[in-house]
Coordinates of all heavy atoms in Angstrom, one line a residue:
S1 N 3.9 -0.2 -25.4 CA 3.9 1.2 -25.4 C 3.6 1.8 -24.0 O 3.1 1.1 -23.2 CB 2.9 1.7 -26.4 OG 1.8 2.2 -25.9
H2 N 4.0 3.0 -23.7 CA 3.8 3.6 -22.4 C 3.4 5.0 -22.5 O 3.4 5.6 -23.5 CB 5.1 3.4 -21.6 CG 6.3 4.2 -22.2 ND1 6.8 3.9 -23.5 CD2 7.0 5.2 -21.8 CE1 7.8 4.7 -23.7 NE2 7.9 5.5 -22.7
S3 N 3.0 5.5 -21.3 CA 2.4 6.9 -21.3 C 3.6 7.9 -21.2 O 4.7 7.5 -21.0 CB 1.6 7.0 -20.0 OG 2.4 6.9 -18.9
W4 N 3.2 9.1 -21.5 CA 4.2 10.2 -21.4 C 4.8 10.3 -20.0 O 5.9 10.7 -19.9 CB 3.6 11.5 -21.9 CG 2.5 12.0 -21.0 CD1 1.2 11.7 -21.1 CD2 2.6 12.8 -19.8 NE1 0.5 12.3 -20.0 CE2 1.4 13.0 -19.3 CE3 3.7 13.4 -19.2 CZ2 1.2 13.8 -18.1 CZ3 3.5 14.2 -18.0 CH2 2.2 14.3 -17.5
A5 N 4.0 10.0 -19.0 CA 4.5 10.1 -17.6 C 5.6 9.1 -17.3 O 6.5 9.4 -16.4 CB 3.4 9.9 -16.6
S6 N 5.7 8.0 -18.0 CA 6.7 7.0 -17.7 C 8.1 7.5 -18.1 O 9.1 7.0 -17.7 CB 6.4 5.7 -18.4 OG 6.5 5.9 -19.8
E7 N 8.1 8.6 -18.9 CA 9.4 9.1 -19.4 C 9.9 10.2 -18.4 O 11.1 10.6 -18.5 CB 9.3 9.7 -20.8 CG 9.0 8.6 -21.8 CD 8.9 9.1 -23.2 OE1 9.2 10.2 -23.5 OE2 8.4 8.3 -24.0
R8 N 9.1 10.6 -17.5 CA 9.6 11.6 -16.5 C 10.4 10.9 -15.4 O 10.3 9.7 -15.2 CB 8.3 12.2 -15.8 CG 7.3 12.7 -16.8 CD 7.1 14.1 -16.9 NE 7.5 15.0 -15.9 CZ 6.8 15.9 -15.3 NH1 5.5 16.0 -15.5 NH2 7.3 16.7 -14.4
T9 N 11.2 11.7 -14.8 CA 12.1 11.1 -13.7 C 11.7 11.8 -12.4 O 10.7 12.3 -12.2 CB 13.6 11.4 -14.1 OG1 13.7 12.8 -14.2 CG2 14.0 10.7 -15.3
K10 N 12.7 11.7 -11.4 CA 12.5 12.3 -10.1 C 11.4 11.7 -9.3 O 10.6 12.4 -8.7 CB 12.3 13.8 -10.2 CG 13.5 14.5 -10.9 CD 13.3 16.0 -10.9 CE 14.4 16.6 -11.7 NZ 14.2 18.0 -11.9
G11 N 11.3 10.3 -9.4 CA 10.3 9.7 -8.5 C 8.9 9.5 -9.1 O 8.0 9.1 -8.4
Y12 N 8.7 9.9 -10.3 CA 7.4 9.7 -10.9 C 7.1 8.3 -11.1 O 8.0 7.5 -11.5 CB 7.2 10.5 -12.2 CG 7.2 12.0 -12.0 CD1 8.4 12.7 -12.1 CD2 6.0 12.7 -11.6 CE1 8.4 14.1 -11.8 CE2 6.0 14.0 -11.3 CZ 7.2 14.7 -11.5 OH 7.2 16.1 -11.2
V13 N 5.9 7.8 -10.9 CA 5.5 6.5 -11.1 C 5.2 6.2 -12.5 O 4.5 7.0 -13.1 CB 4.3 6.1 -10.2 CG1 3.8 4.7 -10.5 CG2 4.6 6.3 -8.7
C14 N 5.7 5.1 -13.1 CA 5.4 4.8 -14.4 C 4.1 4.0 -14.5 O 3.9 3.1 -13.7 CB 6.5 3.9 -15.0 SG 8.1 4.7 -15.0
I15 N 3.2 4.3 -15.4 CA 2.0 3.6 -15.7 C 2.1 3.1 -17.1 O 2.2 3.9 -18.1 CB 0.8 4.5 -15.6 CG1 0.6 5.0 -14.2 CG2 -0.5 3.7 -16.0 CD1 0.4 4.0 -13.1
H16 N 2.2 1.8 -17.3 CA 2.3 1.2 -18.6 C 0.9 0.6 -19.0 O 0.2 0.2 -18.1 CB 3.3 0.1 -18.6 CG 4.7 0.6 -18.4 ND1 5.5 1.0 -19.4 CD2 5.4 0.8 -17.2 CE1 6.7 1.4 -18.9 NE2 6.6 1.3 -17.6
N17 N 0.6 0.7 -20.3 CA -0.7 0.2 -20.7 C -1.0 -1.3 -20.3 O -2.1 -1.6 -20.1 CB -0.8 0.3 -22.3 CG -0.8 1.7 -22.7 OD1 -1.1 2.6 -22.0 ND2 -0.4 1.9 -24.0
D18 N 0.1 -2.1 -20.2 CA -0.1 -3.5 -19.9 C 0.2 -3.8 -18.5 O 0.3 -5.0 -18.2 CB 0.8 -4.3 -20.9 CG 2.3 -3.9 -20.7 OD1 2.6 -3.0 -20.0 OD2 3.1 -4.6 -21.3
T19 N 0.2 -2.9 -17.6 CA 0.5 -3.1 -16.2 C -0.7 -2.7 -15.4 O -1.2 -1.6 -15.5 CB 1.7 -2.3 -15.8 OG1 2.8 -2.6 -16.6 CG2 2.1 -2.6 -14.3
A20 N -1.1 -3.6 -14.5 CA -2.2 -3.3 -13.6 C -1.8 -2.3 -12.5 O -0.6 -2.3 -12.2 CB -2.7 -4.6 -12.9
M21 N -2.7 -1.6 -12.0 CA -2.4 -0.6 -11.0 C -1.9 -1.4 -9.7 O -2.5 -2.3 -9.3 CB -3.7 0.2 -10.7 CG -3.5 1.4 -9.9 SD -2.6 2.6 -10.8 CE -2.6 3.9 -9.7
N22 N -0.8 -0.9 -9.2 CA -0.3 -1.5 -8.0 C -0.3 -0.5 -6.8 O 0.6 0.3 -6.7 CB 1.1 -2.0 -8.2 CG 1.7 -2.8 -7.0 OD1 1.3 -2.5 -5.9 ND2 2.7 -3.6 -7.3
F23 N -1.4 -0.5 -6.1 CA -1.6 0.5 -5.1 C -0.5 0.5 -4.0 O -0.1 1.5 -3.5 CB -3.0 0.4 -4.4 CG -4.1 0.8 -5.3 CD1 -4.8 -0.1 -6.1 CD2 -4.4 2.2 -5.5 CE1 -5.8 0.3 -6.9 CE2 -5.4 2.6 -6.3 CZ -6.1 1.7 -7.0
Q24 N -0.1 -0.7 -3.6 CA 0.9 -0.9 -2.6 C 2.2 -0.2 -3.0 O 2.8 0.5 -2.3 CB 1.1 -2.3 -2.2 CG 2.1 -2.6 -1.1 CD 1.7 -2.0 0.2 OE1 0.5 -2.0 0.5 NE2 2.6 -1.5 1.0
H25 N 2.6 -0.4 -4.3 CA 3.8 0.2 -4.8 C 3.7 1.7 -4.8 O 4.6 2.4 -4.4 CB 4.1 -0.4 -6.2 CG 5.2 0.3 -6.9 ND1 6.5 0.1 -6.6 CD2 5.2 1.3 -7.9 CE1 7.3 0.9 -7.4 NE2 6.5 1.6 -8.1
I26 N 2.6 2.2 -5.2 CA 2.4 3.7 -5.3 C 2.4 4.2 -3.9 O 2.9 5.3 -3.6 CB 1.2 4.0 -6.1 CG1 1.4 3.7 -7.6 CG2 0.9 5.5 -6.0 CD1 0.3 3.9 -8.5
A27 N 1.7 3.6 -3.0 CA 1.6 4.0 -1.6 C 3.0 4.1 -1.0 O 3.4 5.0 -0.2 CB 0.7 3.1 -0.7
E28 N 3.8 3.1 -1.2 CA 5.2 3.1 -0.7 C 6.0 4.2 -1.3 O 6.8 4.9 -0.6 CB 5.9 1.7 -1.0 CG 5.3 0.6 -0.1 CD 5.8 -0.8 -0.5 OE1 6.6 -0.9 -1.5 OE2 5.3 -1.8 0.1
K29 N 5.9 4.4 -2.6 CA 6.6 5.5 -3.3 C 6.1 6.9 -2.7 O 7.0 7.7 -2.5 CB 6.4 5.4 -4.8 CG 7.2 6.4 -5.6 CD 7.2 6.2 -7.0 CE 8.0 5.1 -7.5 NZ 9.5 5.3 -7.5
A30 N 4.8 7.0 -2.5 CA 4.3 8.3 -2.0 C 4.9 8.5 -0.6 O 5.1 9.7 -0.3 CB 2.8 8.2 -2.0
A31 N 5.0 7.5 0.2 CA 5.5 7.7 1.6 C 6.9 8.3 1.6 O 7.4 8.8 2.6 CB 5.5 6.4 2.3
N32 N 7.7 8.1 0.5 CA 9.0 8.6 0.4 C 9.2 9.9 -0.3 O 10.3 10.3 -0.6 CB 9.9 7.5 -0.3 CG 10.0 6.3 0.6 OD1 10.4 6.4 1.8 ND2 9.7 5.1 0.1
L33 N 8.1 10.5 -0.7 CA 8.2 11.8 -1.5 C 7.9 12.9 -0.5 O 7.2 12.8 0.5 CB 7.1 11.8 -2.6 CG 7.3 10.8 -3.7 CD1 6.1 10.9 -4.6 CD2 8.6 11.1 -4.5
S34 N 8.5 14.1 -0.8 CA 8.2 15.3 -0.1 C 6.8 15.8 -0.3 O 6.2 15.3 -1.3 CB 9.2 16.4 -0.5 OG 8.9 16.8 -1.8
N35 N 6.3 16.6 0.5 CA 5.0 17.2 0.3 C 4.9 17.9 -1.1 O 3.9 17.9 -1.8 CB 4.5 18.1 1.4 CG 4.2 17.4 2.7 OD1 4.3 16.1 2.7 ND2 3.9 18.1 3.7
V36 N 6.0 18.6 -1.4 CA 6.0 19.4 -2.7 C 5.9 18.4 -3.8 O 5.2 18.6 -4.8 CB 7.3 20.2 -2.7 CG1 7.5 20.8 -4.1 CG2 7.2 21.4 -1.7
A37 N 6.7 17.3 -3.8 CA 6.7 16.3 -4.8 C 5.3 15.6 -4.9 O 4.8 15.4 -6.0 CB 7.7 15.3 -4.6
L38 N 4.6 15.4 -3.8 CA 3.3 14.8 -3.8 C 2.3 15.7 -4.6 O 1.5 15.3 -5.4 CB 2.8 14.6 -2.4 CG 3.4 13.4 -1.7 CD1 3.0 13.4 -0.2 CD2 3.1 12.1 -2.3
V39 N 2.4 17.0 -4.2 CA 1.5 18.0 -4.9 C 1.8 18.0 -6.4 O 0.8 18.0 -7.2 CB 1.7 19.4 -4.3 CG1 0.9 20.5 -5.1 CG2 1.1 19.4 -2.9
A40 N 3.0 18.0 -6.8 CA 3.4 18.0 -8.2 C 2.9 16.7 -8.9 O 2.4 16.7 -10.0 CB 4.9 18.1 -8.4
N41 N 3.0 15.5 -8.2 CA 2.6 14.3 -8.8 C 1.1 14.2 -9.0 O 0.6 13.7 -9.9 CB 3.1 13.1 -8.0 CG 4.5 12.8 -8.2 OD1 5.2 13.4 -9.0 ND2 5.0 11.8 -7.5
I42 N 0.4 14.8 -8.0 CA -1.1 14.9 -8.1 C -1.5 15.6 -9.3 O -2.3 15.2 -10.1 CB -1.7 15.5 -6.8 CG1 -1.5 14.5 -5.6 CG2 -3.2 15.8 -7.0 CD1 -1.7 15.2 -4.2
A43 N -0.9 16.8 -9.5 CA -1.2 17.7 -10.6 C -0.9 16.9 -11.9 O -1.6 17.0 -12.9 CB -0.4 19.0 -10.5
D44 N 0.3 16.3 -12.0 CA 0.7 15.5 -13.2 C -0.3 14.4 -13.5 O -0.7 14.2 -14.7 CB 2.1 15.0 -13.1 CG 3.2 16.0 -13.2 OD1 2.9 17.1 -13.6 OD2 4.3 15.6 -12.9
C45 N -0.7 13.7 -12.5 CA -1.7 12.6 -12.7 C -3.0 13.1 -13.2 O -3.6 12.5 -14.1 CB -1.9 11.8 -11.4 SG -0.5 10.8 -11.0
I46 N -3.5 14.2 -12.7 CA -4.7 14.8 -13.1 C -4.6 15.3 -14.6 O -5.5 15.0 -15.4 CB -5.2 15.9 -12.2 CG1 -5.6 15.3 -10.8 CG2 -6.4 16.7 -12.8 CD1 -5.8 16.3 -9.7
K47 N -3.5 15.9 -14.9 CA -3.3 16.3 -16.3 C -3.3 15.1 -17.2 O -3.9 15.2 -18.3 CB -1.9 17.0 -16.4 CG -2.0 18.4 -16.9 CD -0.6 19.0 -17.1 CE -0.3 19.9 -15.9 NZ 1.0 20.6 -16.1
A48 N -2.6 14.0 -16.8 CA -2.5 12.8 -17.7 C -3.9 12.2 -17.8 O -4.3 11.8 -18.9 CB -1.5 11.8 -17.1
A49 N -4.7 12.2 -16.7 CA -6.0 11.6 -16.8 C -6.9 12.4 -17.8 O -7.6 11.8 -18.6 CB -6.7 11.6 -15.4
K50 N -6.8 13.7 -17.7 CA -7.6 14.6 -18.6 C -7.1 14.3 -20.1 O -8.0 14.4 -21.0 CB -7.4 16.1 -18.3 CG -8.1 16.4 -17.0 CD -8.0 17.9 -16.7 CE -8.7 18.3 -15.4 NZ -8.5 19.7 -15.0
A51 N -5.9 14.1 -20.3 CA -5.4 13.8 -21.6 C -5.9 12.5 -22.2 O -6.1 12.3 -23.4 CB -3.9 13.8 -21.7
C52 N -6.2 11.6 -21.3 CA -6.8 10.3 -21.7 C -8.3 10.3 -21.8 O -8.8 9.3 -22.4 CB -6.3 9.2 -20.7 SG -4.6 8.9 -20.6
A53 N -8.9 11.3 -21.2 CA -10.4 11.3 -21.2 C -11.0 11.2 -22.6 O -10.5 11.9 -23.5 CB -10.8 12.6 -20.5
G54 N -12.0 10.4 -22.8 CA -12.7 10.3 -24.0 C -12.1 9.3 -25.0 O -12.7 9.0 -26.0
H55 N -10.9 8.8 -24.7 CA -10.3 7.8 -25.7 C -9.6 6.6 -25.0 O -9.3 5.7 -25.6 CB -9.4 8.5 -26.7 CG -8.2 9.1 -26.1 ND1 -7.0 8.4 -25.9 CD2 -7.9 10.3 -25.6 CE1 -6.1 9.2 -25.3 NE2 -6.6 10.4 -25.2
D56 N -9.4 6.7 -23.7 CA -8.7 5.6 -23.0 C -9.2 5.6 -21.5 O -8.4 6.1 -20.6 CB -7.2 5.7 -23.1 CG -6.5 4.5 -22.7 OD1 -7.1 3.7 -21.9 OD2 -5.3 4.3 -23.1
A57 N -10.3 5.1 -21.3 CA -10.9 5.2 -20.0 C -10.1 4.4 -18.9 O -10.0 4.8 -17.8 CB -12.4 4.6 -20.0
K58 N -9.5 3.3 -19.3 CA -8.7 2.5 -18.4 C -7.5 3.4 -17.9 O -7.3 3.4 -16.7 CB -8.1 1.3 -19.1 CG -7.3 0.4 -18.2 CD -6.8 -0.9 -18.9 CE -5.9 -1.7 -18.0 NZ -5.3 -2.8 -18.6
R59 N -6.8 4.0 -18.8 CA -5.6 4.8 -18.3 C -6.1 6.0 -17.6 O -5.5 6.5 -16.6 CB -4.7 5.2 -19.5 CG -3.9 4.0 -20.0 CD -3.0 4.3 -21.2 NE -2.2 5.4 -21.0 CZ -1.7 6.1 -22.0 NH1 -2.0 5.9 -23.2 NH2 -0.9 7.1 -21.7
E60 N -7.2 6.6 -18.0 CA -7.7 7.8 -17.2 C -8.0 7.4 -15.8 O -7.6 8.1 -14.9 CB -9.0 8.2 -17.9 CG -9.7 9.4 -17.2 CD -11.0 9.8 -17.8 OE1 -11.5 9.1 -18.7 OE2 -11.6 10.8 -17.4
G61 N -8.6 6.2 -15.6 CA -8.9 5.7 -14.3 C -7.6 5.4 -13.5 O -7.5 5.7 -12.3
Q62 N -6.6 4.9 -14.2 CA -5.4 4.6 -13.5 C -4.7 5.8 -13.0 O -4.2 5.9 -11.8 CB -4.4 3.8 -14.4 CG -4.8 2.4 -14.7 CD -3.9 1.7 -15.7 OE1 -3.4 2.3 -16.6 NE2 -3.7 0.4 -15.5
Y63 N -4.7 6.9 -13.8 CA -4.1 8.1 -13.4 C -4.8 8.7 -12.2 O -4.2 9.3 -11.3 CB -4.0 9.1 -14.5 CG -2.8 8.8 -15.5 CD1 -3.1 8.5 -16.8 CD2 -1.5 8.8 -15.0 CE1 -2.0 8.2 -17.7 CE2 -0.5 8.5 -15.9 CZ -0.7 8.2 -17.2 OH 0.3 7.9 -18.1
M64 N -6.2 8.7 -12.2 CA -7.0 9.2 -11.1 C -6.7 8.4 -9.9 O -6.7 9.0 -8.8 CB -8.4 9.3 -11.5 CG -8.7 10.3 -12.6 SD -8.1 12.0 -12.3 CE -9.0 12.4 -10.8
D65 N -6.6 7.1 -10.0 CA -6.3 6.2 -8.8 C -4.9 6.6 -8.3 O -4.7 6.7 -7.0 CB -6.3 4.8 -9.2 CG -7.7 4.2 -9.4 OD1 -8.7 4.9 -9.1 OD2 -7.8 3.1 -10.0
E66 N -4.0 6.8 -9.1 CA -2.6 7.2 -8.7 C -2.7 8.5 -8.0 O -2.1 8.7 -6.9 CB -1.7 7.2 -9.9 CG -0.3 7.5 -9.5 CD 0.7 7.5 -10.7 OE1 0.3 7.1 -11.9 OE2 1.8 7.9 -10.6
A67 N -3.4 9.5 -8.5 CA -3.5 10.8 -7.9 C -4.2 10.6 -6.5 O -3.8 11.3 -5.5 CB -4.4 11.7 -8.8
S68 N -5.1 9.7 -6.4 CA -5.8 9.5 -5.1 C -4.8 8.9 -4.1 O -4.9 9.3 -2.9 CB -7.0 8.5 -5.3 OG -7.6 8.3 -4.1
C69 N -3.9 8.1 -4.5 CA -2.9 7.5 -3.6 C -2.0 8.6 -3.0 O -1.7 8.7 -1.8 CB -2.1 6.5 -4.3 SG -2.9 4.9 -4.5
Y70 N -1.6 9.5 -3.9 CA -0.7 10.6 -3.5 C -1.5 11.6 -2.6 O -1.0 12.1 -1.6 CB -0.2 11.4 -4.7 CG 0.8 10.6 -5.6 CD1 0.7 10.5 -6.9 CD2 1.9 9.9 -5.0 CE1 1.6 9.8 -7.7 CE2 2.8 9.2 -5.7 CZ 2.6 9.2 -7.1 OH 3.5 8.5 -7.9
R71 N -2.8 11.8 -2.9 CA -3.6 12.7 -2.1 C -3.8 12.2 -0.7 O -3.8 12.9 0.2 CB -4.9 13.0 -2.8 CG -5.8 13.9 -2.1 CD -5.3 15.3 -1.9 NE -6.1 16.1 -1.0 CZ -5.8 16.4 0.2 NH1 -4.7 15.9 0.8 NH2 -6.6 17.1 1.0
T72 N -4.0 10.9 -0.6 CA -4.2 10.2 0.7 C -3.0 10.4 1.5 O -3.1 10.7 2.7 CB -4.6 8.7 0.5 OG1 -5.8 8.7 -0.2 CG2 -4.7 8.0 1.8
E73 N -1.8 10.2 0.9 CA -0.6 10.3 1.7 C -0.4 11.8 2.2 O -0.1 12.0 3.3 CB 0.6 9.9 0.8 CG 2.0 10.2 1.5 CD 2.2 9.3 2.7 OE1 1.7 8.2 2.9 OE2 3.1 9.7 3.6
L74 N -0.7 12.7 1.3 CA -0.6 14.1 1.6 C -1.5 14.5 2.7 O -1.2 15.2 3.7 CB -0.8 15.0 0.4 CG -0.5 16.5 0.6 CD1 0.9 16.8 0.9 CD2 -0.9 17.2 -0.7
F75 N -2.8 14.0 2.6 CA -3.8 14.3 3.6 C -3.4 13.7 5.0 O -3.5 14.3 6.0 CB -5.1 13.7 3.2 CG -6.2 13.9 4.3 CD1 -6.8 15.1 4.4 CD2 -6.5 12.9 5.1 CE1 -7.8 15.3 5.4 CE2 -7.5 13.0 6.1 CZ -8.1 14.3 6.2
N76 N -2.9 12.5 5.0 CA -2.5 11.8 6.2 C -1.4 12.6 6.9 O -1.3 12.6 8.1 CB -2.0 10.4 6.0 CG -3.2 9.5 5.6 OD1 -4.3 9.8 5.9 ND2 -2.9 8.3 5.0
R77 N -0.5 13.2 6.2 CA 0.6 14.0 6.7 C 0.2 15.3 7.3 O 0.7 15.8 8.2 CB 1.7 14.3 5.7 CG 2.5 13.1 5.2 CD 3.5 13.5 4.2 NE 4.1 12.4 3.6 CZ 5.1 12.5 2.7 NH1 5.5 13.7 2.3 NH2 5.6 11.4 2.1
T78 N -0.8 15.9 6.6 CA -1.2 17.3 6.9 C -2.4 17.4 7.7 O -2.8 18.5 8.1 CB -1.2 18.1 5.6 OG1 -2.3 17.6 4.8 CG2 0.1 18.2 4.9
A79 N -3.2 16.4 7.9 CA -4.5 16.5 8.6 C -4.3 17.1 10.0 O -5.2 17.9 10.4 CB -5.1 15.1 8.7
S80 N -3.3 16.7 10.7 CA -3.1 17.3 12.0 C -2.3 18.6 12.0 O -2.2 19.2 13.1 CB -2.5 16.2 13.0 OG -1.2 15.9 12.5
N81 N -1.7 18.9 10.9 CA -0.8 20.1 10.8 C -1.0 20.7 9.4 O -0.2 20.4 8.5 CB 0.6 19.7 11.1 CG 1.5 21.0 11.0 OD1 1.0 22.1 10.9 ND2 2.8 20.8 11.0
P82 N -2.1 21.5 9.2 CA -2.3 22.0 7.8 C -1.2 22.8 7.2 O -1.2 23.0 6.0 CB -3.6 22.8 8.0 CG -4.1 22.4 9.3 CD -3.0 21.9 10.1
L83 N -0.3 23.3 8.1 CA 0.8 24.1 7.6 C 2.0 23.3 7.2 O 3.1 23.8 6.8 CB 1.2 25.2 8.6 CG 0.1 26.1 8.9 CD1 0.5 27.1 10.0 CD2 -0.5 26.9 7.7
A84 N 2.0 22.0 7.3 CA 3.1 21.1 7.0 C 3.5 21.2 5.6 O 2.8 21.4 4.7 CB 2.8 19.6 7.4

């Protein structure tokens, strides 16, 4: 079985219940997304984590880790140019 996010398209990362978090894969994917897509993915991951809260701590953590990867990429791009 898989999460609702795995059915989304346009570069969204799939998180499956039986798949370990792959930070390298997500970091590579994040590097190829626009800033707008990164912001959208961060919001989607946080929403998914909240949906898992209280009943699936593992997936909640995976979504927060994924959001963190996207946030790190966005920060690295915009730290020297906040208007990017």
